[in-house]
Structures are given as C-alpha cells and as structure tokens.
C-alpha cells in the first residue's frame, strides 16, 4: 500500500486511541459468516418480510424459513409447570440465559426468583422482572440471549446474566450447544424445533412480519455476535460535523441529502472499525503480555497504540515501569471507510506539512452518490475536522442512482444492467442475450434475465449516441430520488440531437458562403419584432441556465436549454425567419441572418456542456466573428445575460402575435373551417391593440391556409356576434364567426365544459395566492406569474360566458 496513506491511517489511529476516542470493547457486532468478518451497521441491508418467506442463504442447498415466530415452553425447576416463550430464531434458545417478564404481570409473579430448566444443556435460566417487557405482546414472557441479540445484550448486563456465545465464526454451532455442536446454524433451527416437539415442549408457529439483516456484499444473514473489537466514539465527532454544516462552512445539496445527514448523525452509534480480513490497513496497536500474567484482549488497558513497535514499547515502559512484557500486534485490519475517510487530506501528503496540503486543502466540491453520504462523506467531514481542524471541502453534491425503467436496482441476475456503450452504439436483442452468457449466472437466473431482456428490449437497443445519453442523465438529475432509466427517453433525445443538426444545417444553408457575422452579438437596431423576441429569449435563457448551474439544479438547466432550442429557436424563430429571408428587403434579410447566427451560436455554446460532441462538430462549421480565433467550442465563452437584449415589451408583443395565430389555427381546426374563415382579434388595452394592428400581416402568415379575413378590434368595440372564442391572454381574444356553419347546441355544451375547466383553474389559482404560507415563502416574481395565470383564466371565463350568451341568442334568432 502507499506509504504515505498508511502513515496517515497509523497517525489517525494512534492519536484517536491516545485520546480515548478509539477504544477496545467486547460488544455485539454484525458478523458475516461468509466473509468471516464484522461489518458496520451501514453495510447491513434489512429485508422486510410480511410473513412466512423462504429465502436463499449462501451455503445452504434448500431455502430457509423466515417470517415466523415459534412458541415453545421451558420447564420450571422443581415443579410440573412450564413457561411459554416465543422467538423468530429458534436456534438461539441454545444461548438463552434468562427469562424476563413484566413486574406487573400477575400471571408470572409466583415464578419470579425461580429458574427454568434448559431442555438440551445443563443450564438454569433465572426468571426475573423488567419494565422492558410488554406484557401484552406474545406470551408476556421473553427468552433472553444476551450474546446474540442487541436488546437482550442490555438486559443481560442489567441483570448480570451469563453471556453465552453459541456460534463458531463459520456459522456452525459451538461447544456451548451440547448435541447440536457442529451443526450449521439454520440446520440447527429445524433440529431444535424437532427436538422440542419430541419433548412435548413445542407449542406452535405463526406468521410474523419482520426484518432480516443481510450482508450488503455476500447476502448472508447477519448474526449478532459478541467479539472484542476496536470501536470509535462518534458522538463528539458527529456534533462537530453537524456544526460545520449548520454554520455554512459546508453546503450539502440537495436539501433532502442535508436532512438525511442531520438525521443520521443525530442517531449515530459508536463505530466498529475492526475487520477480520486478509487485506487492508492493519491496526497499529499491540497486545501487552506481562510475564506470568494472562492477557485480556477485550480490555482496552491491555493494549498500546504506536506508530512503530518501538514507540509502543516505550509507551508500555512508561505506563508500567519495571514490568517485563512482550508485545503482539493485532492481526485485524481497519474498516476500509476508516482509511477512505482520510482521503481529502491523506492524498495531499498529510500528516506531513506538504506544499499540496498547504495550498489545496480544503478542497472545493465533492460530487458523489447519495448512497455513500454516510459511508464516506460524513466520515470524511468528521475525520477532516478532527484531524486537521478544517472542513475537507466546501460543498457536497449528491447525485441520484440509476435504476431500471421499473425502479429496480440493476443486477446481473435480473438482466437489467445496461451498458452505456450499448446505448451509445446500439445492440440487437441477441447481443444482449450473448452478454448474459459471459457472466456466472446459474440457469434459473439466466432464464429470468433473458425473459426480462425480451420484454424490455424486444428489438434490442437502438443507437442513441453519447450526447443523447449524456443529456438524458443530466435531465434525470433532480437531486432527489433515484433515476428510472428508460432507453425510450434517451432515444427521444437522439431525435432532439437530429433537430439540432437540422436547425444548424438550415442556418448554414441560408447564410452566404462569404457571410461575415457582426463583430459583436448585440443588437444593431434594425431587428424586426420576431428578432427582438428571440434575442430576448436567448439572454433570459442564458441568465436562467447560469443560475440553475450555480444552484446545482441540473435538471432545470436542461429544461431551460431544451425549451430555448426546441420551442423558441426551432419551432418559432427559424420558421418565421424563412418568410423574412425569402420575401423581405435586403436589409431585413441581412438582419434576420445576423440574428439567426447569434441565436444559433449562442444555442450551441449553451448546450455544449450537455452535448459536447455534436456541438463541437456543428460549431466548427460556423464562420467566426471578426477577430475571433477561438479554436474549439470548449474554449468559447459560455453565454451570459446581456441586459441590452432583455426586451420584455417585445416579448409581450410577439407573444400576442404567437398567441393570436395559435388561437386562429386552433379554432379553425376545432370547428373544421377550411376556407373563408372570418376572424376577429379583440384587444383589451391600447398596447395590445397597436401591436395587433402593426403585426397583422405576421399573424396572417402564421395562421396557415383557410383564413379569409382578420379584423382587429379595440376594447371599446362590440364583441363580434355569432362567434366562438379562444382566449389568448387577459389582454386579447380571438373570435371565429361560425353562425350557420356549426351545431349551436353542441357548441353551447362545449363552451360550458370549457367554462367549467377555466373556473376550476381560477379557483385553484386563487387558493394558491391566498395561502399565507405561499405568500411568505414564494418569491415576488413567482407570485406575479401566478397572478397572471389567474387573470388569464378569469378572462377566459368571461369570454366563454359571452360565447354561451351569444349562442343562446343565436338560437332565438
């Protein structure tokens, strides 16, 4: 192992042991019989069972029964009485050393102070009272196995019971179990029940919801076992780690991760750092063997820590002057998370005062998965603050985990592991099947995995490209729950990549080969309304995407850049520019091309971090601005907010144009008017009236075929009769004359349905805006947006009410 990293581990252990933070204790640990080592609580997965369940356990040919509670009886010494107890682990009765009852339970008061007789080993079990026992649960009598159960451990200490270990390290029963010695633990489970039946002591078994602790690596069932191990006191370290986050020295994102961080550190228990493995950093601590004395390896006083054996000897001589001794180094290694917790500073040369450590510590941002927030991140913070006096980093960003489309963890046995390279290049179904054969799946798992692949990828995985994969993953990153990874979503973004390509191809086709862009990306003053609109949208998108990235709201950043590309640049401005370039004056066409270039160049650089390969290829084909020698889009300036392009008045005006043309198309399609459509745009303020009049030709060009005439009405004009209505906003509405061309009764029904929906929206918006909590927490900008939604829905209601009134009038004519 790296000498400096080993030195960092040794330095940390010795210092913390000398301070009493690391100590030796004989306590219950999570023992994995497959790995033959203790593991931490964080390495244990609790499997929830609703009742009787047969589970596969490593090392057993047949499945083992869990999720049941077994009732049996203990004989009372010197009497014909028995006392009934219950357990979910019958084999642990071989380690029972007492029976507890509630002191207020009248059923057992006469048995207090007496002993139960163990049926299989020569052992008496004292019957005692403790308030811990719930007399209403089960039989009200609880068998106590102090050496194999956390709750029983505490009761055993409180009542001075015997701590009887019944397991060997490999999961077989040891010499304390009598005739069951050498039997595998879960075979002993069935053997014990059978032996109880033969003695007439078995009562029954029932379904019992429970949790089964499993080793996260081996999937073995964890056994609580007493072992002398090295432990670290965590309360003091956790309090310091909580403080640096609360004081703002470290920011943890998202907020859900920060809440989990506080919750875990608030409930933290001492950490068992001993591991019985062949690899790892060996504990730098030595057992003292005094001449003529027996050493107790479970007593912390029998150990001395030292950076070297010589240092350990000197410490022992100073602590026990004049005594003869020998030292033996502990063979256990340390939990890998102990050394990993030192990573931010040990990799910079600590404990030496190196140039790297002095200049680069603390670091800036740690990006990691939320699943190791406790395993690693919290420990780095605790050990960093303790050992260096500084936080290890200023910010932590926890990303989501990738699961399959059904939300399941990816597993080779399920066949749902997706190789990103297969999504990038594509792979046929048979290719997926062939990959399963490269693993070591048993026939049953192979069959299940094959079935899943056939169901999920019947045609294989289509080629999506690396940019689509990258964009998809970022768009999934909400900073909250896990990602349900769906190839269909990625393929959708592949089509988006094609949209970007086609848009760039269009722009390159419209600008001349000798086209030289403007020196700067600002406005020239010659832009049409649609140009001012797209430039406004671009600068607002730049502002919002930079803020989203700074706030680590990556999913939001993809929404912003997608909307700008797809909904604003491609669907609106590029379409509208065609008429200007084709039919406009030379000056208008040049202005439209300049705007196209600016909008496209900005769009490519804006989306570049999300789609680096496609954007580099397309950007290289664009002509450069004068004096711009940037060699690659990687080196190009990222778009920033430009106040000179921010034009809310032009935005509002062009949104009216777009809204009106949309209203025309929607009404004509809904009422199947294919020619000679007679339309009116009624505006409700002077600005909207002037905009509609000035942009009437643009509105007509965006409406498509079938429009006969469009008249613009002011707020003072009468509402047109015999019409249906489309509410554009609170400032305008579109009317289509349908008298004599539609079924009046059917239109009244439609209008009433739309009125109902608009009314529901208005009621919902009113409720949101009147909520005191919302008024207090929501920004003024957001509240203003909600108020606009309310005003639009109320205007929509008025228009539908007027339409219904007009249709009712038409029926009377």
């Amino acid at each position: 192992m790296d000498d400096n990293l080993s030195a960092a581990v040794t330095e940390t252990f010795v210092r913390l042991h000398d301070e009493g933070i690391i100590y030796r204790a004989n306590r219950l640990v999570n023992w994995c019989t497959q790995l033959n080592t203790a593991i931490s609580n964080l390495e244990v997965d609790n499997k929830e069972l609703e009742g009787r369940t047969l589970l596969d356990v490593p090392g057993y040919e047949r499945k083992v029964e869990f999720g049941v509670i077994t009732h049996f009886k203990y004989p009372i010494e010197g009497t014909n009485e028995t006392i009934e107890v219950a357990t979910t682990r019958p084999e642990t009765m071989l380690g029972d050393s007492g029976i507890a009852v509630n002191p207020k339970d009248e059923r057992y008061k006469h048995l207090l102070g007496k002993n139960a007789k163990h049926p299989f080993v020569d052992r008496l079990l004292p019957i005692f009272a403790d308030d811990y026992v719930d007399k209403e649960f089960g039989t009200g009598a609880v068998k106590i196995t102090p050496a194999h159960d956390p709750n029983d451990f505490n009761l055993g200490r409180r009542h001075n019971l015997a701590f009887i270990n019944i397991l060997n390290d490999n999961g077989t029963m040891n010499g304390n179990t009598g005739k069951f010695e050498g039997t595998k633990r879960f075979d002993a489970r069935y053997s014990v029940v059978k032996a109880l039946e033969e003695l007439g002591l078995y009562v029954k078994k029932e379904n019992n919801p429970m949790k089964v602790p499993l080793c996260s690596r081996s999937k073995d069932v964890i056994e609580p076992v007493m072992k002398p191990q090295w432990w670290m006191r965590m309360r003091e370290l956790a309090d310091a780690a909580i403080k640096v986050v609360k004081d703002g020295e470290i920011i943890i994102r998202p907020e859900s991760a920060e809440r989990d961080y506080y919750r875990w550190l608030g409930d933290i228990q001492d950490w068992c750092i001993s591991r019985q493995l062949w690899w790892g950093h060996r504990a730098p601590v030595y057992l003292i063997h005094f001449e003529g004395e027996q050493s107790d390896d479970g007593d912390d006083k029998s150990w001395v820590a030292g950076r070297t054996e010589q240092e350990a000897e000197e410490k022992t001589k100073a602590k026990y002057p004049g005594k003869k001794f020998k030292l033996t180094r502990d063979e256990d290694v340390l939990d890998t998370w102990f050394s990993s917790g030192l990573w931010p500073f040990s990799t910079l040369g600590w404990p030496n005062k190196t140039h790297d450590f002095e200049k680069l510590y603390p670091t800036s941002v740690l990006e990691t998965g939320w699943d190791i927030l406790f395993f690693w991140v919290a420990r780095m913070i605790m050990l960093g603050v303790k050992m260096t006096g500084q936080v290890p980093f200023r910010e932590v960003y926890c990303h989501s985990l990738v699961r399959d489309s059904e939300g399941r963890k990816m597993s080779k046995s399920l066949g749902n592991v997706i190789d990103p390279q297969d999504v990038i290049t594509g792979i046929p179904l048979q290719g997926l099947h062939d990959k399963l054969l490269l693993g070591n799946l048993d026939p049953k798992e192979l069959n299940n995995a094959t079935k899943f692949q056939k169901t999920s990828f019947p045609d294989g995985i289509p080629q999506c490209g690396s940019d689509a994969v990258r964009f998809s993953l970022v768009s999934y990153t909400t900073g909250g729950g896990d990602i349900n990874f769906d190839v269909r979503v990625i393929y959708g973004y592949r089509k988006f990549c094609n949209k970007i390509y086609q848009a760039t191809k269009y722009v390159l086709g419209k600008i001349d080969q000798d086209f030289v862009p403007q020196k700067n990306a600002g406005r020239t003053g010659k832009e049409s309304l649609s140009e001012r609109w797209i430039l406004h949208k671009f600068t607002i998108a730049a502002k919002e995407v930079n803020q989203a990235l700074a706030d680590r709201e990556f999913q939001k950043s993809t929404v912003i850049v997608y909307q700008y590309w797809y909904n604003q640049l491609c669907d609106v401005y590029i379409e509208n520019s065609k008429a200007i370039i084709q039919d406009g004056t030379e000056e208008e066409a040049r202005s439209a091309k300049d705007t196209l270039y600016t909008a496209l160049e900005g769009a490519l650089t804006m989306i570049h971090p999300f789609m680096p390969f496609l954007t580099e290829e397309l950007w290289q084909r664009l002509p450069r601005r004068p004096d711009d020698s940037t060699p690659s889009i990687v080196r190009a300036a990222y778009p920033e907010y430009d106040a000179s392009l921010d034009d809310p008045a032009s935005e509002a005006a062009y949104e009216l144009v777009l809204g009106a043309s949309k209203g025309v198309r929607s009404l004509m399609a809904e009422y199947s008017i294919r020619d000679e459509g007679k339309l009116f745009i009624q505006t409700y303020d002077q600005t909207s009236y002037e905009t509609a009049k000035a942009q009437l030709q643009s509105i007509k060009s965006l409406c498509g075929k079938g429009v006969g005439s469009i008249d613009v009405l002011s707020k003072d004009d009468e509402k047109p009769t015999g019409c249906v209505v489309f509410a554009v906003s609170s400032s305008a509405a579109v009317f289509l004359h349908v008298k004599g061309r539609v079924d009046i009764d059917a239109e009244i029904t439609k209008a009433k349905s739309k009125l109902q929906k608009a009314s529901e929206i208005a009621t919902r918006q009113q409720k949101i805006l009147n909520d005191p909590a919302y008024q207090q927490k929501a920004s003024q900008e957001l509240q203003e947006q909600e108020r606009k939604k309310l005003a639009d829905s109320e205007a929509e209601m008025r228009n539908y009410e007027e339409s219904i009134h007009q249709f009712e009038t038409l029926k009377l004519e």
Side-chain angles (χ1 to χ4, degrees):
M1 291 190 181
D2 182 272
D3 290 339
N4 190 78
L5 297 183
S6 296
V9 171
T10 298
E11 181 69 23
T12 303
F13 187 99
V14 172
R15 280 200 211 174
L16 296 181
H17 183 265
D18 289 349
E19 290 183 37
I21 292 175
I22 291 179
Y23 63 95
R24 187 76 166 177
N26 189 18
R27 294 170 50 178
L28 284 177
V29 298
N30 300 308
W31 187 259
C32 175
T33 64
Q34 283 292 301
L35 300 178
N36 256 311
T37 184
I39 62 174
S40 72
N41 290 340
L42 290 175
E43 296 169 285
V44 177
D45 298 328
N46 288 301
K47 185 177 183 64
E48 297 269 1
L49 302 181
E50 295 182 358
R52 183 178 183 271
T53 306
L54 296 177
L55 298 179
D56 285 313
V57 178
Y60 291 82
E61 292 184 3
R62 64 174 181 173
K63 292 186 175 184
V64 180
E65 182 180 60
F66 293 90
V68 296
I69 187 165
T70 301
H71 292 248
F72 67 94
K73 295 180 289 188
Y74 273 118
I76 305 299
E77 182 190 29
T79 73
N80 293 323
E81 284 189 85
T82 59
I83 185 169
E84 185 179 330
V85 295
T87 179
T88 58
R89 301 156 65 207
E91 69 279 8
T92 63
M93 64 88 66
L94 298 170
D96 287 355
S97 59
I99 297 174
V101 298
N102 188 285
K104 297 179 181 178
D105 196 330
E106 297 293 334
R107 295 172 295 175
Y108 302 117
K109 278 193 173 181
H110 69 290
L111 297 178
L112 292 176
K114 294 186 178 182
N115 295 315
K117 185 172 173 46
H118 202 289
F120 305 129
V121 291
D122 186 15
R123 189 186 309 153
L124 294 178
L125 283 58
I127 301 171
F128 60 93
D130 194 288
D131 289 327
Y132 164 78
V133 179
D134 180 359
K135 64 181 182 178
E136 303 300 329
F137 181 77
T139 66
V142 179
K143 61 182 281 299
I144 305 300
T145 320
H148 292 283
D149 182 274
N151 295 319
D152 293 2
F153 178 87
N154 296 325
L155 281 172
R157 280 191 166 179
R158 196 151 62 234
H159 296 278
N160 199 30
L161 300 179
F163 284 72
I164 303 165
N165 177 32
I166 61 171
L167 287 175
N168 296 313
D169 288 351
N170 64 359
T172 58
M173 311 308 286
N174 64 20
N176 292 325
T177 62
K179 65 180 182 179
F180 300 97
E181 182 178 1
T183 307
K184 293 165 70 172
R185 55 183 169 150
F186 294 124
D187 289 339
R189 171 171 297 186
Y190 295 104
S191 299
V192 165
V193 171
K194 184 178 180 181
L196 288 168
E197 289 175 340
E198 291 171 353
L199 294 175
L201 297 175
Y202 173 81
V203 179
K204 62 180 177 179
K205 69 177 179 182
E206 301 173 312
N207 274 348
N208 182 67
M210 63 181 293
K211 295 178 182 179
V212 178
L214 303 177
C215 174
S216 61
R217 282 176 285 177
S218 70
K219 305 307 175 187
D220 188 23
V221 177
I222 293 300
E223 290 291 344
V225 175
M226 282 191 68
K227 288 206 175 270
Q229 304 278 277
W230 293 107
W231 297 80
M232 184 183 291
R233 298 187 201 283
M234 302 304 291
R235 186 69 271 152
E236 174 190 336
L237 300 180
D239 288 343
I242 290 172
K243 184 176 185 300
V244 294
V245 176
K246 286 192 172 180
D247 290 349
E249 293 185 60
I250 296 177
I251 296 171
I252 298 178
R253 291 189 169 106
E255 289 184 6
S256 58
E258 182 181 343
R259 290 193 296 270
D260 288 341
Y261 175 85
Y262 288 139
R263 176 177 52 78
W264 183 72
L265 289 182
D267 297 332
I268 198 168
Q269 304 295 318
D270 285 0
W271 174 20
C272 175
I273 59 175
S274 294
R275 295 293 180 270
Q276 293 69 41
L277 300 171
W278 288 106
W279 59 90
H281 292 277
R282 194 172 173 186
V285 65
Y286 300 81
L287 180 64
I288 307 170
H289 301 276
F290 292 110
E291 191 175 277
E293 298 181 21
Q294 182 69 35
S295 299
D296 180 6
D297 72 344
D299 185 357
D300 192 63
K301 295 177 182 178
S302 298
W303 294 85
V304 60
R307 295 166 183 82
T308 63
E309 187 170 351
Q310 182 180 352
E311 181 183 330
E313 287 180 357
E314 291 172 357
K315 282 185 175 181
T316 307
K317 288 176 183 177
K319 190 174 182 180
Y320 302 103
K323 300 195 75 171
K324 293 184 178 181
F325 62 87
K326 289 184 179 180
L327 299 180
T328 304
R329 186 168 179 176
D330 192 355
E331 293 186 353
D332 284 357
V333 298
L334 300 173
D335 183 355
T336 186
W337 296 109
F338 182 87
S339 54
S340 298
L342 312 178
W343 182 84
F345 48 96
S346 65
T347 53
L348 298 175
W350 187 93
N352 300 311
K353 295 292 184 180
T354 65
H355 178 268
D356 284 352
F357 178 74
E358 295 290 341
K359 295 296 183 182
L360 302 177
Y361 188 84
T363 59
S364 54
V365 180
L366 173 73
E367 191 271 342
T368 187
W370 64 261
D371 57 323
I372 54 174
L373 179 64
F374 315 127
F375 282 111
W376 191 31
V377 179
R379 285 166 175 160
M380 283 192 284
I381 295 173
M382 287 187 281
L383 289 169
V385 171
K386 178 64 181 176
M387 302 311 297
T388 72
Q390 300 181 74
V391 295
F393 27 70
R394 301 298 183 188
E395 180 183 345
V396 177
Y397 181 82
C398 295
H399 64 239
S400 304
L401 301 185
V402 179
R403 298 182 181 272
D404 72 9
S405 58
E406 298 176 17
R408 299 178 303 175
K409 191 172 183 179
M410 290 191 179
S411 164
K412 290 181 180 178
S413 62
L414 293 175
N416 62 352
V417 175
I418 298 176
D419 183 342
Q421 194 63 43
D422 291 340
V423 184
I424 293 170
T425 61
I427 186 172
L429 178 60
Q430 187 57 48
L432 292 171
H433 292 343
D434 292 343
K435 282 197 167 188
L436 292 176
L437 300 175
L438 300 176
N440 58 352
L441 300 179
D442 67 32
K444 183 179 178 182
E445 290 178 331
L446 180 62
N447 185 51
N448 290 337
T450 303
K451 284 182 179 178
F452 174 83
Q453 290 181 343
K454 286 180 179 178
T455 302
S456 298
F457 314 113
D459 301 316
I461 297 176
Q463 182 185 42
C464 296
S466 57
D467 281 339
V469 173
R470 184 185 180 100
F471 193 86
S472 298
L473 288 173
V474 180
S475 69
Y476 272 127
T477 306
T478 61
D482 292 343
I483 294 169
N484 290 356
F485 197 68
D486 192 337
V487 171
R488 289 170 297 183
V489 174
I490 304 172
Y491 192 69
Y493 285 123
R494 178 188 183 279
K495 294 179 179 178
F496 176 46
C497 291
N498 186 59
K499 186 88 168 178
I500 293 172
Y501 170 79
Q502 294 295 343
T504 307
K505 181 181 178 182
Y506 166 78
V507 175
L508 290 172
K510 291 300 178 184
I511 60 179
D512 302 324
Q513 189 172 1
D514 299 329
F515 175 81
V516 178
Q518 296 290 329
K519 184 176 179 61
N520 299 308
R523 279 164 53 170
T524 64
K526 300 176 183 179
E527 290 82 6
S528 64
L529 177 61
S530 62
E531 292 172 63
R532 297 196 301 273
W533 175 82
I534 192 61
L535 292 174
H536 168 81
K537 289 296 186 182
F538 168 66
T539 197
I540 294 302
K543 178 181 181 181
E544 291 177 348
V545 77
N546 277 287
Q547 187 61 54
L549 291 172
D551 293 340
R552 309 296 188 253
E553 295 184 12
F554 299 114
Q555 190 266 347
K556 182 179 179 181
S557 68
T558 61
V559 170
I560 294 166
V561 74
Y562 181 90
Q563 287 180 341
Y564 172 69
W565 258 105
Y566 207 105
N567 301 333
Q568 295 158 9
L569 178 58
C570 293
D571 281 4
V572 177
Y573 182 67
I574 284 180
E575 289 301 317
N576 295 352
S577 70
K578 294 176 181 177
I580 301 176
I581 294 173
Q582 181 176 330
D583 302 326
T585 65
E586 184 176 339
E587 185 178 71
E588 290 172 338
R590 171 67 199 202
S591 180
K593 292 175 183 179
D594 284 335
T595 302
L596 266 178
Y597 179 91
T598 297
L600 179 70
E601 180 196 43
L604 288 171
T605 51
M606 189 185 296
I607 203 171
H608 172 68
F610 311 99
M611 293 185 173
F613 301 106
L614 175 65
T615 51
E616 180 70 72
E617 175 68 26
L618 298 178
W619 184 87
Q620 290 291 349
R621 302 185 186 191
L622 290 179
R624 300 273 74 78
R625 295 185 186 277
D627 302 327
D628 180 5
S629 58
T630 308
S632 167
I633 193 172
V634 176
R635 302 290 299 276
Y638 196 71
E640 294 184 354
Y641 172 72
D642 183 350
S644 68
L645 302 181
D646 192 345
D647 189 352
S650 292
E651 178 191 33
Y654 201 61
E655 297 288 353
L656 177 63
V657 172
L658 295 174
S661 59
K662 177 184 176 182
V664 171
R665 293 193 304 271
S666 177
L667 288 175
M668 292 187 68
E670 183 176 354
Y671 294 97
S672 300
I673 305 297
R674 294 181 175 82
D675 53 43
E676 296 301 319
K678 185 177 181 183
L679 295 120
F680 305 88
I681 300 173
Q682 184 157 38
T683 58
Y684 303 125
D685 59 63
Q686 188 61 29
T687 301
S688 299
Y689 178 74
E690 292 172 0
T691 298
K693 290 286 285 185
Q695 297 296 322
L696 184 57
Q697 192 57 43
S698 294
I699 294 172
K700 286 182 177 179
S701 68
L702 294 172
C703 289
K705 298 178 180 179
V707 175
S709 65
I710 302 179
D711 294 323
V712 179
L713 308 177
S714 72
K715 64 177 179 178
D716 298 323
D717 293 326
E718 293 288 331
K719 277 189 171 57
T721 59
C723 294
V724 289
V725 65
F726 179 96
V728 175
S729 66
S730 57
S731 59
V734 173
F735 294 85
L736 171 65
H737 190 270
V738 294
K739 183 179 179 182
R741 304 181 74 170
V742 296
D743 182 338
I744 299 297
D745 289 327
E747 297 313 317
I748 291 175
T749 301
K750 280 185 185 178
K752 285 183 177 179
S753 176
K754 292 178 179 179
L755 173 61
Q756 176 65 28
K757 289 180 181 178
S759 176
E760 290 171 358
I761 293 172
T763 301
R764 185 165 60 248
Q765 290 300 121
Q766 193 70 58
K767 185 177 180 180
I768 291 172
L769 289 166
N770 291 339
D771 184 355
Y774 174 81
Q775 294 172 359
Q776 183 178 359
K777 294 179 181 179
S779 65
Q780 287 301 315
E781 181 182 2
L782 183 59
Q783 291 188 49
E784 185 58 39
Q785 291 176 4
E786 296 299 332
R787 279 192 285 271
K788 185 178 184 306
K789 288 180 184 178
L790 175 61
D792 288 347
S793 58
E794 288 176 339
E796 200 171 355
M797 287 171 59
R798 289 192 296 271
N799 286 327
Y800 289 136
E801 287 169 349
E802 182 65 28
S803 289
I804 293 169
H805 174 70
Q806 288 187 9
F807 280 129
E808 294 286 1
T809 303
L810 285 174
K811 287 179 66 176
L812 299 176
E813 292 179 1

